[in-house]
Coordinates of all heavy atoms in Angstrom, one line a residue:
L1 N -18.6 211.4 -110.8 CA -19.8 210.9 -111.2 C -20.6 210.4 -109.9 O -20.0 209.6 -109.2 CB -19.6 209.9 -112.2 CG -20.9 209.1 -112.7 CD1 -21.8 210.1 -113.4 CD2 -20.5 208.0 -113.6
H2 N -21.7 210.8 -109.8 CA -22.5 210.4 -108.6 C -23.9 209.9 -109.2 O -24.5 210.5 -109.9 CB -22.8 211.5 -107.6 CG -23.7 211.1 -106.5 ND1 -23.4 210.3 -105.5 CD2 -25.0 211.5 -106.3 CE1 -24.4 210.1 -104.7 NE2 -25.4 210.9 -105.2
L3 N -24.3 208.7 -108.8 CA -25.5 208.1 -109.2 C -26.4 208.0 -107.9 O -26.0 207.3 -107.0 CB -25.3 206.7 -109.8 CG -26.6 206.0 -110.3 CD1 -27.3 206.8 -111.4 CD2 -26.2 204.7 -110.8
Y4 N -27.6 208.5 -108.0 CA -28.5 208.5 -106.8 C -29.7 207.6 -107.3 O -30.3 207.9 -108.3 CB -29.0 209.9 -106.5 CG -30.2 209.9 -105.6 CD1 -30.1 209.7 -104.2 CD2 -31.4 210.2 -106.1 CE1 -31.2 209.7 -103.4 CE2 -32.6 210.2 -105.3 CZ -32.5 209.9 -104.0 OH -33.6 210.0 -103.2
Q5 N -30.0 206.6 -106.5 CA -31.2 205.8 -106.7 C -31.9 205.5 -105.4 O -31.2 205.1 -104.4 CB -30.9 204.5 -107.4 CG -30.4 204.6 -108.8 CD -30.1 203.3 -109.5 OE1 -29.7 202.4 -108.8 NE2 -30.4 203.2 -110.8
D6 N -33.1 205.6 -105.3 CA -33.9 205.2 -104.1 C -35.1 204.5 -104.6 O -36.0 205.1 -105.2 CB -34.3 206.5 -103.4 CG -35.0 206.2 -102.0 OD1 -34.9 205.1 -101.5 OD2 -35.8 207.1 -101.6
Q7 N -35.2 203.2 -104.3 CA -36.3 202.4 -104.8 C -37.3 202.1 -103.7 O -36.9 201.8 -102.5 CB -35.7 201.1 -105.3 CG -36.7 200.2 -106.0 CD -36.1 199.0 -106.6 OE1 -34.9 198.8 -106.5 NE2 -36.8 198.2 -107.3
D8 N -38.6 202.1 -104.1 CA -39.7 201.8 -103.2 C -40.5 200.7 -103.9 O -41.0 201.0 -104.9 CB -40.5 203.0 -102.8 CG -41.7 202.7 -101.9 OD1 -41.5 201.7 -101.1 OD2 -42.6 203.4 -101.9
Q9 N -40.5 199.5 -103.3 CA -41.2 198.4 -104.0 C -42.2 197.7 -103.0 O -41.9 197.5 -101.8 CB -40.2 197.4 -104.5 CG -40.8 196.2 -105.2 CD -39.7 195.3 -105.8 OE1 -38.5 195.5 -105.6 NE2 -40.1 194.4 -106.6
D10 N -43.3 197.3 -103.6 CA -44.3 196.6 -102.8 C -44.9 195.5 -103.6 O -45.3 195.7 -104.7 CB -45.4 197.6 -102.3 CG -46.5 196.9 -101.5 OD1 -46.1 196.1 -100.6 OD2 -47.7 197.3 -101.6
Q11 N -45.0 194.3 -103.0 CA -45.5 193.2 -103.8 C -46.5 192.4 -102.9 O -46.4 192.3 -101.7 CB -44.4 192.1 -104.1 CG -43.4 192.5 -105.1 CD -42.4 191.4 -105.4 OE1 -42.3 190.4 -104.7 NE2 -41.6 191.6 -106.4
Q12 N -47.5 191.9 -103.6 CA -48.5 191.0 -102.9 C -48.9 189.9 -103.8 O -49.1 190.1 -105.1 CB -49.8 191.9 -102.6 CG -49.5 193.0 -101.6 CD -50.8 193.9 -101.5 OE1 -51.7 193.9 -102.3 NE2 -50.8 194.7 -100.5
G13 N -49.0 188.7 -103.3 CA -49.4 187.6 -104.1 C -50.3 186.7 -103.4 O -50.2 186.6 -102.1
F14 N -51.2 186.0 -104.1 CA -52.1 185.1 -103.5 C -52.4 183.9 -104.4 O -52.6 184.2 -105.7 CB -53.4 185.8 -103.1 CG -54.5 184.9 -102.7 CD1 -54.6 184.5 -101.4 CD2 -55.5 184.5 -103.5 CE1 -55.6 183.6 -101.0 CE2 -56.6 183.7 -103.1 CZ -56.6 183.3 -101.8
E15 N -52.5 182.7 -104.0 CA -52.9 181.6 -104.8 C -53.6 180.6 -104.0 O -53.3 180.3 -102.8 CB -51.6 180.9 -105.4 CG -52.0 179.8 -106.4 CD -50.8 179.1 -107.1 OE1 -49.7 179.5 -106.8 OE2 -51.1 178.3 -108.0
T16 N -54.7 180.0 -104.5 CA -55.4 179.0 -103.9 C -55.8 177.9 -104.9 O -56.0 178.2 -106.1 CB -56.7 179.5 -103.2 OG1 -57.3 178.5 -102.4 CG2 -57.7 180.1 -104.2
Q17 N -55.9 176.7 -104.4 CA -56.2 175.5 -105.3 C -57.3 174.7 -104.7 O -57.3 174.5 -103.5 CB -55.0 174.7 -105.6 CG -54.0 175.2 -106.4 CD -52.9 174.3 -106.7 OE1 -52.6 173.3 -106.0 NE2 -52.1 174.5 -107.7
L18 N -58.1 174.1 -105.5 CA -59.0 173.1 -105.2 C -58.6 171.8 -105.9 O -58.4 171.8 -107.1 CB -60.5 173.4 -105.5 CG -61.0 174.7 -104.8 CD1 -62.4 175.1 -105.4 CD2 -61.2 174.4 -103.3
V19 N -58.5 170.7 -105.2 CA -58.0 169.4 -105.8 C -59.0 168.3 -105.5 O -59.5 168.2 -104.3 CB -56.6 169.1 -105.2 CG1 -56.1 167.8 -105.8 CG2 -55.7 170.2 -105.5
S20 N -59.4 167.5 -106.4 CA -60.3 166.4 -106.2 C -59.6 165.4 -105.3 O -58.4 165.2 -105.2 CB -60.6 165.7 -107.5 OG -59.5 165.1 -108.1
S21 N -60.5 164.7 -104.5 CA -59.9 163.7 -103.6 C -60.6 162.4 -103.7 O -60.3 161.5 -102.9 CB -60.1 164.2 -102.1 OG -61.4 164.4 -101.8
G22 N -61.4 162.2 -104.7 CA -62.1 160.9 -104.9 C -61.2 159.9 -105.6 O -60.2 160.2 -106.1
D23 N -61.7 158.6 -105.6 CA -60.9 157.6 -106.3 C -61.6 157.2 -107.6 O -61.3 156.1 -108.1 CB -60.7 156.4 -105.3 CG -62.0 155.8 -104.8 OD1 -63.1 156.4 -105.2 OD2 -61.9 154.8 -104.1
G24 N -62.5 158.0 -108.1 CA -63.2 157.7 -109.3 C -62.3 157.9 -110.5 O -61.1 158.3 -110.4
P25 N -62.9 157.8 -111.7 CA -62.1 158.0 -112.9 C -61.7 159.4 -113.2 O -60.8 159.7 -114.0 CB -63.0 157.4 -114.0 CG -64.4 157.6 -113.5 CD -64.3 157.4 -112.0
L26 N -62.4 160.4 -112.6 CA -62.1 161.8 -112.9 C -61.3 162.4 -111.8 O -61.7 162.3 -110.6 CB -63.4 162.6 -113.0 CG -63.2 164.1 -113.2 CD1 -62.5 164.4 -114.5 CD2 -64.6 164.8 -113.1
S27 N -60.2 163.0 -112.1 CA -59.4 163.8 -111.1 C -59.2 165.1 -111.7 O -59.1 165.3 -112.9 CB -58.0 163.1 -110.9 OG -57.2 163.0 -112.0
W28 N -59.2 166.2 -110.8 CA -59.2 167.5 -111.3 C -58.4 168.4 -110.3 O -58.3 168.1 -109.1 CB -60.6 168.1 -111.6 CG -61.5 167.9 -110.4 CD1 -62.3 166.9 -110.2 CD2 -61.7 168.8 -109.4 NE1 -63.0 167.1 -109.0 CE2 -62.7 168.3 -108.5 CE3 -61.1 170.0 -109.0 CZ2 -63.0 168.9 -107.3 CZ3 -61.5 170.7 -107.9 CH2 -62.5 170.1 -107.0
V29 N -58.0 169.6 -110.8 CA -57.5 170.6 -110.0 C -57.9 172.0 -110.6 O -58.0 172.1 -111.8 CB -55.9 170.5 -109.9 CG1 -55.3 170.6 -111.2 CG2 -55.4 171.6 -108.9
G30 N -58.2 172.9 -109.8 CA -58.5 174.3 -110.2 C -58.0 175.3 -109.3 O -57.8 175.0 -108.1
G31 N -57.8 176.5 -109.7 CA -57.2 177.5 -108.8 C -57.3 178.9 -109.3 O -57.7 179.1 -110.4
L32 N -56.9 179.8 -108.5 CA -56.9 181.2 -108.7 C -55.6 181.7 -108.2 O -55.1 181.4 -107.2 CB -58.0 181.9 -107.9 CG -58.1 183.4 -107.9 CD1 -58.5 183.9 -109.3 CD2 -59.1 183.9 -106.8
F33 N -55.0 182.6 -109.1 CA -53.7 183.3 -108.8 C -53.8 184.8 -109.0 O -54.3 185.2 -110.0 CB -52.6 182.7 -109.7 CG -51.3 183.4 -109.6 CD1 -50.4 183.1 -108.6 CD2 -50.9 184.4 -110.6 CE1 -49.2 183.8 -108.4 CE2 -49.7 185.0 -110.4 CZ -48.9 184.8 -109.4
L34 N -53.4 185.5 -108.0 CA -53.4 187.0 -108.1 C -52.0 187.5 -107.7 O -51.4 187.0 -106.7 CB -54.4 187.6 -107.1 CG -55.9 187.1 -107.2 CD1 -56.7 187.6 -106.1 CD2 -56.4 187.6 -108.6
F35 N -51.6 188.6 -108.4 CA -50.3 189.2 -108.1 C -50.3 190.7 -108.4 O -50.9 191.1 -109.4 CB -49.2 188.5 -108.9 CG -47.8 189.2 -108.7 CD1 -47.0 188.9 -107.6 CD2 -47.3 190.1 -109.7 CE1 -45.8 189.5 -107.5 CE2 -46.0 190.7 -109.5 CZ -45.3 190.3 -108.4
R36 N -49.8 191.5 -107.5 CA -49.7 192.9 -107.7 C -48.4 193.4 -107.2 O -47.9 193.0 -106.2 CB -50.8 193.6 -106.9 CG -50.7 195.1 -107.0 CD -51.9 195.8 -106.4 NE -53.0 195.7 -107.5 CZ -54.2 196.0 -107.3 NH1 -54.6 196.5 -106.2 NH2 -55.1 195.9 -108.3
E37 N -47.8 194.3 -108.0 CA -46.5 194.9 -107.7 C -46.5 196.4 -108.0 O -47.0 196.8 -109.1 CB -45.4 194.2 -108.4 CG -44.0 194.8 -108.2 CD -42.9 194.1 -108.9 OE1 -43.2 193.7 -110.1 OE2 -41.8 194.1 -108.4
S38 N -45.9 197.2 -107.2 CA -45.8 198.6 -107.4 C -44.3 199.0 -107.1 O -43.8 198.6 -106.1 CB -46.7 199.4 -106.5 OG -46.5 200.8 -106.7
N39 N -43.7 199.7 -108.1 CA -42.3 200.0 -108.0 C -42.0 201.4 -108.4 O -42.4 201.7 -109.5 CB -41.5 199.0 -108.8 CG -40.0 199.1 -108.7 OD1 -39.5 200.0 -107.9 ND2 -39.3 198.3 -109.4
T40 N -41.4 202.2 -107.6 CA -41.0 203.6 -108.0 C -39.6 203.7 -107.7 O -39.0 203.2 -106.7 CB -41.8 204.6 -107.3 OG1 -41.6 204.5 -105.8 CG2 -43.3 204.6 -107.6
Q41 N -38.9 204.4 -108.6 CA -37.4 204.5 -108.5 C -37.0 205.9 -109.0 O -36.7 206.0 -110.2 CB -36.7 203.4 -109.2 CG -35.2 203.4 -109.0 CD -34.6 202.1 -109.6 OE1 -35.3 201.3 -110.2 NE2 -33.3 202.1 -109.6
P42 N -36.8 206.9 -108.2 CA -36.2 208.1 -108.6 C -34.7 207.9 -108.9 O -34.0 207.4 -108.0 CB -36.5 209.1 -107.5 CG -36.8 208.3 -106.3 CD -37.3 207.0 -106.8
T43 N -34.2 208.4 -110.0 CA -32.8 208.2 -110.3 C -32.2 209.6 -110.7 O -32.9 210.3 -111.5 CB -32.6 207.2 -111.5 OG1 -33.2 205.9 -111.1 CG2 -31.2 207.0 -111.8
R44 N -31.0 209.9 -110.3 CA -30.4 211.2 -110.6 C -28.9 210.9 -110.9 O -28.2 210.2 -110.1 CB -30.6 212.2 -109.5 CG -30.1 213.6 -109.9 CD -30.3 214.6 -108.8 NE -29.2 214.4 -107.8 CZ -29.5 214.5 -106.5 NH1 -30.6 214.9 -106.1 NH2 -28.5 214.3 -105.6
Q45 N -28.4 211.4 -112.0 CA -27.0 211.3 -112.3 C -26.4 212.7 -112.2 O -26.8 213.6 -112.9 CB -26.8 210.7 -113.7 CG -27.3 209.3 -113.8 CD -27.0 208.8 -115.2 OE1 -26.5 209.5 -116.1 NE2 -27.5 207.6 -115.4
D46 N -25.4 212.9 -111.3 CA -24.7 214.1 -111.1 C -23.3 214.0 -111.8 O -22.5 213.2 -111.3 CB -24.6 214.5 -109.6 CG -25.9 214.6 -108.9 OD1 -26.9 214.9 -109.6 OD2 -26.0 214.4 -107.7
V47 N -23.1 214.7 -112.9 CA -21.8 214.7 -113.5 C -21.0 215.9 -113.1 O -20.0 215.8 -112.5 CB -22.0 214.6 -115.0 CG1 -20.6 214.6 -115.7 CG2 -22.7 213.3 -115.4
F48 N -21.5 217.2 -113.4 CA -20.8 218.4 -113.1 C -21.6 219.2 -112.0 O -21.2 220.3 -111.7 CB -20.6 219.2 -114.3 CG -19.8 218.5 -115.4 CD1 -20.4 218.1 -116.5 CD2 -18.4 218.4 -115.2 CE1 -19.6 217.5 -117.5 CE2 -17.6 217.7 -116.1 CZ -18.3 217.3 -117.3
G49 N -22.6 218.6 -111.5 CA -23.5 219.2 -110.5 C -24.8 218.4 -110.4 O -24.9 217.4 -111.0
P50 N -25.7 218.9 -109.6 CA -27.0 218.2 -109.4 C -27.6 218.1 -110.8 O -27.8 219.0 -111.5 CB -27.8 219.0 -108.5 CG -26.8 219.9 -107.8 CD -25.7 220.1 -108.7
G51 N -28.0 216.8 -111.1 CA -28.7 216.6 -112.4 C -30.2 216.5 -112.2 O -30.7 216.6 -111.1
A52 N -30.8 216.3 -113.3 CA -32.3 216.2 -113.3 C -32.7 214.8 -112.7 O -31.9 213.8 -112.8 CB -32.9 216.3 -114.7
T53 N -33.8 214.7 -112.0 CA -34.2 213.4 -111.5 C -35.2 212.8 -112.5 O -36.2 213.5 -112.8 CB -34.9 213.7 -110.1 OG1 -33.9 214.3 -109.2 CG2 -35.4 212.4 -109.5
N54 N -35.0 211.6 -112.8 CA -35.9 210.8 -113.6 C -36.7 209.9 -112.6 O -36.1 209.1 -111.9 CB -35.2 209.9 -114.6 CG -34.4 210.8 -115.6 OD1 -34.9 211.8 -116.0 ND2 -33.2 210.4 -115.9
N55 N -38.0 209.9 -112.7 CA -38.9 209.1 -111.9 C -39.3 207.9 -112.7 O -40.1 208.1 -113.7 CB -40.0 209.8 -111.3 CG -39.6 210.8 -110.2 OD1 -38.9 210.4 -109.3 ND2 -40.0 212.1 -110.3
I56 N -39.0 206.8 -112.4 CA -39.4 205.5 -113.0 C -40.4 204.9 -112.2 O -40.2 204.6 -111.0 CB -38.2 204.6 -113.3 CG1 -37.1 205.4 -114.2 CG2 -38.6 203.3 -114.0 CD1 -35.8 204.6 -114.2
A57 N -41.6 204.5 -112.7 CA -42.6 203.9 -112.0 C -43.2 202.7 -112.8 O -43.3 202.8 -114.0 CB -43.7 204.8 -111.7
Q58 N -43.4 201.6 -112.1 CA -44.0 200.4 -112.8 C -45.0 199.8 -111.9 O -44.7 199.5 -110.7 CB -42.8 199.4 -113.1 CG -43.3 198.2 -113.7 CD -42.2 197.2 -113.9 OE1 -41.1 197.4 -113.7 NE2 -42.6 196.0 -114.4
D59 N -46.2 199.5 -112.4 CA -47.2 198.8 -111.7 C -47.6 197.6 -112.5 O -47.7 197.6 -113.8 CB -48.5 199.7 -111.5 CG -48.2 200.8 -110.6 OD1 -47.5 200.6 -109.6 OD2 -48.7 201.9 -110.8
T60 N -47.7 196.4 -111.8 CA -47.9 195.1 -112.5 C -49.1 194.5 -111.8 O -49.1 194.4 -110.6 CB -46.7 194.2 -112.5 OG1 -45.6 194.9 -113.0 CG2 -47.0 192.9 -113.2
D61 N -50.1 194.1 -112.5 CA -51.2 193.3 -112.0 C -51.3 192.0 -112.9 O -51.3 192.1 -114.1 CB -52.5 194.1 -112.1 CG -52.6 195.2 -111.1 OD1 -52.4 194.9 -109.9 OD2 -53.0 196.3 -111.5
A62 N -51.5 190.9 -112.2 CA -51.6 189.6 -112.9 C -52.7 188.8 -112.2 O -52.7 188.7 -111.0 CB -50.3 188.8 -113.0
R63 N -53.5 188.2 -113.1 CA -54.6 187.4 -112.5 C -54.7 186.1 -113.4 O -54.6 186.2 -114.6 CB -55.9 188.1 -112.6 CG -56.0 189.4 -111.7 CD -57.2 190.2 -111.9 NE -57.3 190.8 -113.1 CZ -56.7 192.0 -113.4 NH1 -56.0 192.6 -112.5 NH2 -56.9 192.6 -114.6
A64 N -55.0 185.0 -112.8 CA -55.2 183.8 -113.6 C -56.2 182.9 -112.9 O -56.1 182.7 -111.7 CB -53.8 183.1 -113.8
L65 N -57.1 182.3 -113.6 CA -58.0 181.3 -113.2 C -57.6 180.0 -114.1 O -57.6 180.1 -115.3 CB -59.4 181.8 -113.5 CG -60.5 180.9 -113.0 CD1 -60.5 180.7 -111.5 CD2 -61.9 181.4 -113.4
Y66 N -57.4 178.9 -113.4 CA -56.9 177.8 -114.2 C -57.6 176.5 -113.7 O -58.1 176.4 -112.6 CB -55.4 177.6 -114.1 CG -54.9 177.5 -112.7 CD1 -54.7 176.3 -112.1 CD2 -54.5 178.6 -112.0 CE1 -54.2 176.2 -110.8 CE2 -54.0 178.5 -110.7 CZ -53.9 177.3 -110.1 OH -53.4 177.2 -108.9
G67 N -57.6 175.5 -114.6 CA -58.1 174.2 -114.2 C -57.6 173.1 -115.1 O -57.2 173.4 -116.3
Q68 N -57.6 171.9 -114.6 CA -57.2 170.8 -115.4 C -57.9 169.5 -114.9 O -58.2 169.4 -113.7 CB -55.7 170.5 -115.2 CG -55.2 169.3 -115.9 CD -53.7 169.0 -115.7 OE1 -53.0 169.9 -115.5 NE2 -53.3 167.8 -115.8
G69 N -58.4 168.7 -115.9 CA -59.0 167.5 -115.5 C -58.5 166.3 -116.3 O -58.0 166.4 -117.4
T70 N -58.5 165.1 -115.6 CA -58.0 163.9 -116.2 C -59.0 162.8 -116.0 O -59.5 162.6 -114.9 CB -56.7 163.4 -115.6 OG1 -55.7 164.5 -115.8 CG2 -56.1 162.2 -116.3
W71 N -59.4 162.1 -117.1 CA -60.3 161.0 -117.0 C -59.5 159.7 -117.3 O -58.9 159.6 -118.4 CB -61.4 161.2 -118.1 CG -62.5 160.1 -118.0 CD1 -62.5 158.9 -118.5 CD2 -63.6 160.2 -117.2 NE1 -63.6 158.2 -118.2 CE2 -64.3 159.0 -117.3 CE3 -64.2 161.2 -116.3 CZ2 -65.6 158.7 -116.7 CZ3 -65.4 160.9 -115.7 CH2 -66.1 159.7 -115.9
R72 N -59.5 158.8 -116.4 CA -58.8 157.5 -116.5 C -59.8 156.5 -117.1 O -60.8 156.1 -116.5 CB -58.3 157.0 -115.2 CG -57.2 157.9 -114.7 CD -56.6 157.3 -113.4 NE -57.6 157.1 -112.3 CZ -58.0 158.0 -111.5 NH1 -57.5 159.2 -111.5 NH2 -58.9 157.8 -110.5
F73 N -59.5 156.0 -118.3 CA -60.3 155.0 -119.0 C -59.9 153.6 -118.6 O -58.7 153.3 -118.5 CB -60.2 155.1 -120.5 CG -60.9 156.4 -121.0 CD1 -60.1 157.5 -121.2 CD2 -62.2 156.4 -121.3 CE1 -60.7 158.7 -121.7 CE2 -62.8 157.6 -121.7 CZ -62.0 158.7 -122.0
D74 N -60.8 152.7 -118.3 CA -60.4 151.3 -118.0 C -60.7 150.5 -119.3 O -61.8 150.4 -119.7 CB -61.3 150.8 -116.9 CG -61.0 149.4 -116.5 OD1 -60.0 148.8 -117.0 OD2 -61.8 148.8 -115.8
N75 N -59.6 150.1 -119.9 CA -59.8 149.4 -121.2 C -60.2 148.0 -121.1 O -60.6 147.4 -122.1 CB -58.5 149.5 -122.0 CG -57.3 148.9 -121.3 OD1 -57.5 148.1 -120.4 ND2 -56.1 149.2 -121.8
G76 N -60.3 147.4 -119.9 CA -60.8 146.1 -119.8 C -59.9 144.9 -120.3 O -60.3 143.8 -120.3
F77 N -58.8 145.2 -120.8 CA -57.9 144.2 -121.3 C -56.9 143.7 -120.2 O -56.4 144.5 -119.4 CB -57.0 144.7 -122.5 CG -57.9 145.0 -123.7 CD1 -58.1 146.3 -124.1 CD2 -58.4 144.0 -124.5 CE1 -58.9 146.6 -125.2 CE2 -59.2 144.3 -125.6 CZ -59.4 145.6 -125.9
P78 N -56.7 142.4 -120.1 CA -55.7 141.9 -119.1 C -54.3 142.3 -119.5 O -54.0 142.6 -120.6 CB -56.0 140.4 -119.1 CG -56.5 140.1 -120.5 CD -57.3 141.3 -120.9
A79 N -53.5 142.4 -118.5 CA -52.1 142.7 -118.7 C -51.4 141.6 -119.4 O -51.7 140.4 -119.1 CB -51.4 143.0 -117.3
A80 N -50.6 141.9 -120.3 CA -49.8 140.9 -121.1 C -48.8 140.3 -120.2 O -48.1 141.0 -119.4 CB -49.3 141.5 -122.3
R81 N -48.6 139.0 -120.3 CA -47.5 138.3 -119.5 C -46.6 137.6 -120.5 O -47.0 137.0 -121.5 CB -48.1 137.3 -118.6 CG -48.9 138.0 -117.5 CD -49.4 137.0 -116.5 NE -50.3 137.7 -115.6 CZ -50.6 137.3 -114.4 NH1 -50.2 136.1 -114.0 NH2 -51.4 138.0 -113.6
P82 N -45.3 137.6 -120.2 CA -44.3 136.9 -121.1 C -44.5 135.5 -121.0 O -44.9 134.9 -120.1 CB -43.0 137.4 -120.7 CG -43.2 138.1 -119.4 CD -44.6 138.4 -119.2

């Protein structure tokens, strides 16, 4: 039994973020994420002689735009003391 596999894979990824830097009540973060992958894999199984070749291919693309914000409220109450 002979198994033949030859894989060719390529990946690229990118991410960037913007983050607030002020000391006010609003803090936030936002960003962009990109990912791309290409994968090909010819596979052949030889049992009693050369077998057929199966070509497996997979392409993946992912994109995300994200953000989060936080507002800090000042409740104006003094801290409790024992």
